[in-house]
């Protein structure tokens, strides 16, 4: 599953329309969360009930009375009963003011959803021309960027290269570990999405999908970067903890419990790769707003060594506060490297 987010006017509808018309997404089901986001006048074909409206080209629209969770459960039930055609991926477009946190938490921890779908990425669009002002003014826009696994600078034809570079620097100040892509209307959307996984139940391939994203964090060379983006950006920072030694399960539980109890919703997102137990295989760890999903084991370490890490993206969380919660790993006395503007 791909979660597409971005502030009002960032180009989500344009991207979703491109997806719906691209043969590369023939096996996809697209969900938009409110009427009017896609051209309903020529797409609307039937109303199934008071929560879900089925659109042409495999697009599902959540009515105001329904939730995304309800829509997804209904969607999988319809597929199982044969009432809709099989599909191999789901793409969800959020509203422009949506906070991705609750949606990501549901996809990571809801017992009715986890067996049926896997979150592959949070894709956040930012308008090339208006993005800098939007990020300075609206906390919702900064949170959408902070939650992203991939950032897309949209409407690139409306800004010159200097403006785009300045925006990319702003994005890195909030979330330095999400790759940045450029996209504008008329270009193929497929490069922004991972190839769908095929399984008997249509679910993703577990943590393997997430690992196709920005797996290895790029550590800073040292020193603090100057504050060039204004005070608003100081609220969201990224902290990287390299963990080179295996952790026993008791220590891992102590870490996550303390992070949840002390930071709660301020810990916007936490993800990483750890050697737990005997360290013979890596475990993918994901958390959102203080909730940690059960770790998922991979068959083997990815190429490049067995170095573990945690990436913590937080709001109003300083390095000292994190250092006080998570003690350094034995082979990593330097603890955190922080990335903030």
């Amino acid at each position: 599953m791909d979660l597409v987010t971005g502030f009002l006017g960032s180009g989500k509808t344009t991207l979703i329309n491109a997806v719906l018309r691209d043969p590369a997404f023939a096996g996809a089901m697209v969900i938009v969360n409110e009427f009017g986001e896609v051209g309903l006048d020529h797409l609307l074909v039937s109303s199934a009930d008071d929560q879900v409206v089925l659109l042409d080209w495999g697009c599902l629209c959540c009515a105001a009375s329904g939730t995304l969770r309800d829509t997804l459960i209904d969607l999988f039930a319809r597929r199982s009963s044969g009432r809709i055609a099989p599909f191999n991926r789901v793409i969800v477009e959020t509203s422009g003011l949506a906070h991705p946190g609750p949606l990501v938490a549901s996809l990571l921890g809801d017992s009715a959803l986890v067996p049926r779908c896997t979150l592959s990425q949070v894709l956040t669009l930012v308008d090339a021309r208006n993005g800098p002002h939007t990020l300075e003014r609206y906390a919702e826009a900064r949170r959408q960027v902070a939650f992203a696994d991939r950032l897309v600078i949209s409407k690139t034809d409306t800004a010159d290269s200097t403006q785009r570079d300045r925006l990319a620097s702003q994005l890195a100040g909030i979330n330095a570990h999400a790759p940045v892509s450029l996209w504008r209307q008329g270009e193929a959307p497929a490069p922004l999405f991972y190839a769908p996984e095929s399984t008997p139940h249509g679910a993703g391939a577990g943590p393997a999908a997430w690992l196709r994203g920005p797996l290895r964090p790029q550590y800073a060379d040292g020193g603090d970067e100057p504050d060039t983006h204004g005070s608003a950006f100081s609220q969201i920072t990224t902290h990287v903890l390299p963990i080179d030694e295996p952790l026993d399960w008791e220590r891992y539980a102590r870490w996550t419990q303390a992070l949840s109890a002390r930071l709660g919703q301020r810990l916007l997102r936490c993800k990483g790769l750890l050697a737990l137990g005997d360290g013979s295989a890596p475990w993918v760890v994901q958390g959102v707003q203080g909730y940690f999903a059960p770790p998922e084991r991979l068959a083997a370490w990815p190429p490049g060594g067995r170095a573990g890490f945690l990436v913590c993206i937080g709001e109003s969380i300083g390095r000292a506060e994190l250092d006080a919660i998570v003690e350094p790993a034995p082979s990593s006395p330097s603890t955190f490297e922080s990335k903030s503007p």
Side-chain angles (χ1 to χ4, degrees), residues 66-298:
T67 66
L68 176 60
R69 179 184 184 276
D70 296 335
T71 300
L72 287 169
I73 291 174
D74 184 86
L75 176 64
F76 294 124
R78 289 166 182 265
R79 183 181 63 183
S80 298
S81 65
R83 286 181 288 165
I84 59 175
F87 53 88
N88 62 3
R89 77 185 307 161
V90 177
I91 299 173
V92 177
E93 177 199 358
T94 73
S95 69
L97 295 175
H99 189 332
L103 300 179
V104 175
S106 293
L107 295 173
L108 291 179
D110 192 296
S111 60
L113 296 179
V114 169
R116 296 173 171 85
C117 60
T118 298
L119 180 64
S120 294
Q121 68 170 348
V122 177
L123 186 155
T124 299
L125 284 87
V126 184
D127 183 337
R129 182 182 180 89
N130 298 315
H133 172 73
T134 300
L135 290 170
E136 287 281 3
R137 185 173 181 182
Y138 297 103
E140 294 89 347
R142 297 192 293 274
R143 293 190 187 101
Q144 290 166 354
V145 170
F147 269 86
D149 296 301
R150 181 191 297 271
L151 293 164
V152 177
I153 297 179
S154 60
K155 304 181 182 180
T156 54
D157 55 331
T158 66
D160 59 32
S161 59
T162 300
Q163 292 172 308
R164 295 195 297 266
D165 290 344
R166 187 180 301 118
L167 175 57
S169 177
Q170 285 182 298
L171 297 176
I174 301 174
N175 185 347
H177 305 288
V180 178
S181 302
L182 303 180
W183 188 82
R184 65 178 180 178
Q185 187 174 8
E187 295 178 338
L192 306 179
F193 296 83
Y194 302 123
E197 299 292 341
S198 297
T199 67
H201 301 290
W210 178 78
L211 289 177
R212 288 194 300 266
L215 171 63
R216 302 305 310 164
Q218 300 298 313
Y219 301 119
D221 294 330
D224 296 327
E225 295 187 359
D227 183 358
T228 59
H229 303 308
S231 59
F233 285 82
S234 65
Q235 299 172 8
I236 298 177
T237 53
T238 300
H239 305 273
V240 180
L241 173 61
I243 305 171
D244 299 329
E245 297 295 324
L247 301 176
D248 60 57
W249 286 98
E250 181 180 353
R251 190 180 187 192
Y252 170 75
R254 186 168 66 248
W255 278 13
T256 54
Q257 289 169 3
L259 288 169
S260 297
R262 300 184 191 182
L263 303 181
Q265 293 186 346
R266 289 190 295 143
L267 185 58
L268 298 177
R269 201 161 184 203
C270 184
K271 58 183 182 178
L273 197 65
L274 300 179
L276 300 176
D278 60 12
S280 60
W283 293 76
V284 173
V285 174
Q286 294 203 66
V288 56
Q289 293 189 318
Y291 167 80
F292 280 85
E296 298 186 63
R297 188 171 185 172
L298 295 182

